[in-house]
Amino acid sequence: MKFLRKQLDSVKHNFEKGGKWEKYFFAYEAFETFLFTPNTTADAKGAQIRDAIDLKRLMMTVIIAMLPCLIFGMWNVGYQHHLATGQTGTFMDALVIGLVKTVPIIIVSYAVGLGIEFVFATIRRHPVNEGYLVTGMLIPLVMPPDIPLWQVAVATAFAVIIGKEAFGGTGMNVVNIALTARAFLYFAYPSQISGEVWTFLGEGVKPVAGYSGATPLAIAAASTGNAATDLSSFGAGWADGMYSVWNMFIGVIPGCIGETSTLMCLIGAFILVFTGVGSWKIIVSVFAGAWAMGLLLNAIGTTPFAQLPAHYHLVMGGLAFGAVFMATDPVTAAQTETGKWIYGLLIGVFTVLIRVFNPAYPEGIMLAILLMNVFAPLIDYFVVSANKNRRLQRATV
Amino acid sequence: MSAATDVVEEVKEKKSEPLFSKKNRKLISNPLDIDNPITVQVLGICSALAVTTQMKPAFIMALSLTVVTASSNVAISLMRTTIPSRIRIIVQLAIVSLWVILVDQVLKAYVYDVSKQLSVFVGLIITNCIVMGRLEAFAMGNKPWPSFLDGLGNGFGYGMILMAIALVRELFGGGSLFGYKVFAEIGIPYQGNGLLLLPAGACILLGVIIWVQRSLNGYREAH
């Protein structure tokens, strides 16, 4: 630590006013404050409200909450690879395969995203924001393990420049940046991020007999008889009972790197709620909205997918991951307390609606969250004006 | 708007001015930059998003609009003192549709495939905000020659943005230019970007062009 401090101090004068790298002061400052607490805190006599938590700490908490998903996801990449190719491997074998596939995606995401952040911070002469720490980890978690790295780079660049910097940087974005990156790939290069791309097979490796890469959502959408039976009979011969509710809850199914496991998402949700970083109202209401819509469709729906028991919707696809890590994004979610309930409920409702009724989009959570991100300010506006009216009626003047 | 001041100056002017005086040159150059119909006045967006998946239809569209704007500007300018102001919009519409029908027939005769591709968008030039806007704002108060230049300038300004959007969309969306497979010819395997082929992609591109233009010339929306 002392060594680092010394090194930083020895080059500091170059970046200060009048120094030869004056232009890059904010790039330097970002490194410095990343390593050490800034020495510009308020003193003990100040009247400010002080809290031990700052933006960097907040972001690190979210990253810690994502770690269970990430580690489970890495192992699952390898596990699915073993399952699909008929090999057997230990826990470590699976984890190593997952590491090899996942770490490059994470590196590309951080390198491209932070690079753009540094460029914009230098041009606009403002400190580098910490906002990208979380986004940079979210992007790999919502990618399939086989995604080409250049696509990750292009999508990250698009999301950071168009989704964030065009609107003014961290905290000014209208829609969730990680989901912008995913939506970009979804519309720009659909063949690598939809269909049967969710299991890493490897170059020229033959899958086992009877193998199919179909996801639970695709099976339910294509079902002509009973969707629940189709799901439980999937994988016969090579992975019996793969899509049972329990398996989907635990997450040993193909999918994006981080989103398969509802259990790990719930552990992350617990960390977020316990530390006060994420809003439990949004998380609960997304699940409630999806479940309620599922029940409603059970009652009135006619297609096999609509008849699928409502609790399936809670464990299939990326609903849990979206609810816990995407919908709770403090920048793009509704800010008022009542608004959070409405916002979350509508995300859940739209997710199930898109899943069941739109054959072009098997998964609905991404588009549902992006849609409600856009409407969050409007929800807040109506909540605030309803509150005003209520108080005006009570006023006696 | 600038047109109002132009009217006043026009009345004061007594001496005949040279054909390409500084003011007349401005009529051509302003719409290309600080008074661009698409990026500054935000008119004609619908066709800018609809016909720009490929360079060729975008070029034909830009050409058609330039012809229509310039010629209806001249026609209206010639009639400007005789049009009763209460029915001026319908007179303008009649004249614009005349030119649009002419252009449409020419397209059908000589470039039938592009005409098919552009489909209703040629007909919709009649209601294109740029054409109507120039007639109302400029041709109704100016002599034929400046009106002609103004129509040309706005057509070029529109065409310039259309071509820029179409260039990016066709090159990076489909990997070709004017139908010529650029990447395939060079031998680079290129995977087309599907988002650029959607109207949403064009909308984002247009936003980026506006962003770049405004950070270059420092234009700010007046509040």
Side-chain angles (χ1 to χ4, degrees):
Chain A
M1 276 293 136
K2 272 236 173 88
F3 170 75
L4 273 175
R5 183 72 260 176
K6 242 185 214 159
Q7 288 299 312
L8 278 171
D9 282 339
S10 70
V11 294
K12 187 165 188 170
H13 68 273
N14 287 325
F15 292 97
E16 280 169 342
K17 241 186 157 66
K20 56 180 164 176
W21 298 320
E22 189 190 329
K23 253 198 262 177
Y24 305 106
F25 173 72
F26 290 115
Y28 167 80
E29 193 212 24
F31 275 119
E32 192 189 12
T33 54
F34 186 79
L35 295 169
F36 296 99
T37 316
N39 53 5
T40 49
T41 46
D43 64 49
K45 280 183 181 171
Q48 298 90 342
I49 300 168
R50 283 189 301 275
D51 197 331
I53 198 158
D54 69 347
L55 192 56
K56 253 176 211 153
R57 200 70 52 80
L58 193 88
M59 296 294 177
M60 287 319 285
T61 315
V62 183
I63 290 189
I64 290 167
M66 280 191 283
L67 282 181
C69 281
L70 176 67
I71 293 166
F72 181 88
M74 285 179 175
W75 168 77
N76 191 40
V77 170
Y79 177 75
Q80 294 301 329
H81 173 72
H82 286 154
L83 207 58
T85 52
Q87 299 168 332
T88 46
T90 60
F91 176 81
M92 282 317 289
D93 291 342
L95 196 62
V96 167
I97 293 177
L99 275 172
V100 169
K101 292 306 288 181
T102 314
V103 171
I105 302 179
I106 298 175
I107 292 173
V108 168
S109 155
Y110 271 114
V112 173
L114 286 178
I116 294 170
E117 288 268 337
F118 272 72
V119 169
F120 270 90
T122 309
I123 295 173
R124 291 187 169 158
R125 312 197 62 72
H126 68 66
V128 177
N129 290 115
E130 297 84 351
Y132 194 73
L133 288 179
V134 168
T135 313
M137 187 58 90
L138 278 173
I139 291 176
L141 290 184
V142 294
M143 295 290 164
D146 248 351
I147 191 92
L149 291 179
W150 66 268
Q151 289 189 3
V152 179
V154 173
T156 307
F158 175 86
V160 174
I161 295 174
I162 305 291
K164 185 157 83 168
E165 296 301 341
F167 291 96
T170 301
M172 311 289 277
N173 47 307
V174 177
V175 292
N176 188 297
I177 300 150
L179 280 183
T180 311
R182 196 177 191 281
F184 173 82
L185 287 186
Y186 193 81
F187 290 105
Y189 306 107
S191 53
Q192 272 87 15
I193 201 165
S194 56
E196 308 193 348
V197 298
W198 307 105
T199 309
F200 160 61
L201 283 173
E203 204 73 27
V205 177
K206 266 186 91 79
V208 290
Y211 166 79
S212 157
T215 61
L217 287 163
I219 292 166
S223 170
T224 49
N226 183 331
T229 340
D230 283 356
L231 279 175
S232 57
S233 64
F234 176 82
W238 62 282
D240 285 308
M242 187 181 199
Y243 290 157
S244 65
V245 176
W246 180 247
N247 268 5
M248 289 195 280
F249 176 73
I250 297 295
V252 283
I253 53 170
C256 292
I257 292 166
E259 50 95 80
T260 56
S261 172
T262 310
L263 176 67
M264 295 299 151
C265 292
L266 289 179
I267 294 174
F270 178 75
I271 298 174
L272 288 184
V273 173
F274 183 74
T275 53
V277 170
S279 161
W280 63 272
K281 288 174 188 166
I282 294 176
I283 300 174
V284 169
S285 59
V286 172
F287 279 107
W291 195 55
M293 194 64 211
L295 286 180
L296 181 70
L297 287 179
N298 285 349
I300 59 165
T302 49
T303 60
F305 201 170
Q307 289 299 330
L308 186 70
H311 60 273
Y312 273 78
H313 280 295
L314 306 185
V315 293
M316 284 197 309
L319 184 94
F321 189 82
V324 173
F325 295 109
M326 300 290 194
T328 55
D329 175 1
V331 176
T332 54
Q335 306 292 318
T336 52
E337 297 304 309
T338 321
K340 284 176 184 167
W341 286 109
I342 303 169
Y343 166 84
L345 276 173
L346 285 176
I347 288 179
V349 166
F350 278 122
T351 303
V352 174
L353 268 183
I354 295 171
R355 279 180 183 178
V356 174
F357 289 113
N358 195 331
Y361 307 130
E363 174 57 303
I365 184 78
M366 171 179 83
L367 297 167
I369 294 177
L370 287 174
L371 183 72
M372 291 318 294
N373 279 169
V374 175
F375 280 104
L378 191 70
I379 297 173
D380 283 337
Y381 174 81
F382 282 120
V383 169
V384 170
S385 47
N387 191 37
K388 268 190 214 160
N389 287 339
R390 208 178 58 243
R391 295 185 63 167
L392 275 177
Q393 278 179 349
R394 209 164 55 202
T396 48
V397 185
Chain B
M1 236 176 142
S2 62
T5 54
D6 290 336
V7 180
V8 180
E9 282 167 16
E10 208 64 31
V11 175
K12 279 182 197 164
E13 197 76 59
K14 284 287 190 300
K15 276 182 285 179
S16 68
E17 57 175 318
L19 278 185
F20 289 100
S21 66
K22 197 174 177 209
K23 206 176 74 193
N24 281 348
R25 284 204 306 272
K26 275 250 152 77
L27 291 176
I28 296 263
S29 63
N30 273 358
L32 297 183
D33 183 25
I34 57 168
D35 208 15
N36 189 284
I38 295 187
T39 61
V40 178
Q41 299 175 11
V42 198
L43 300 174
I45 296 294
C46 12
S47 51
L49 304 190
V51 300
T52 50
T53 43
Q54 286 167 353
M55 296 282 281
K56 200 173 166 193
F59 180 71
I60 300 287
M61 181 72 186
L63 203 64
S64 315
L65 189 118
T66 310
V67 170
V68 172
T69 320
S71 24
S72 17
N73 255 7
V74 171
I76 286 290
S77 177
L78 286 170
M79 299 162 59
R80 70 185 187 281
T81 47
T82 50
I83 303 174
S85 73
R86 289 171 69 184
I87 59 159
R88 65 183 195 284
I89 299 284
I90 197 75
V91 175
Q92 289 166 8
L93 270 180
I95 290 190
V96 176
S97 29
L98 170 82
W99 284 107
V100 169
I101 291 166
L102 279 177
V103 165
D104 197 24
Q105 294 303 318
V106 171
L107 291 187
K108 276 191 180 137
Y110 292 101
V111 276
Y112 185 69
D113 53 328
V114 180
S115 167
K116 287 274 275 191
Q117 246 177 317
L118 289 172
S119 66
V120 295
F121 287 98
V122 175
L124 282 177
I125 295 179
I126 299 173
T127 54
N128 190 302
C129 317
I130 300 173
V131 182
M132 295 294 288
R134 289 337 289 172
L135 292 180
E136 266 295 280
F138 198 88
M140 285 299 285
N142 285 287
K143 288 180 181 162
W145 174 243
S147 297
F148 176 70
L149 292 179
D150 180 78
L152 275 189
N154 277 282
F156 291 156
Y158 171 86
M160 190 179 76
I161 301 296
L162 233 64
M163 298 303 283
I165 297 177
L167 174 77
V168 179
R169 282 182 83 182
E170 191 179 353
L171 185 60
F172 294 108
S176 56
L177 280 178
F178 283 104
Y180 180 77
K181 296 270 172 213
V182 180
F183 287 105
E185 289 294 326
I186 308 175
I188 304 170
Y190 182 75
Q191 190 182 357
N193 184 321
L195 182 68
L196 283 175
L197 297 178
L198 298 173
C203 192
I204 292 168
L205 265 182
L206 185 58
V208 171
I209 291 178
I210 295 179
W211 185 15
V212 170
Q213 190 195 19
R214 291 189 180 184
S215 40
L216 286 182
N217 68 11
Y219 174 87
R220 285 281 175 281
E221 203 77 38
H223 288 292

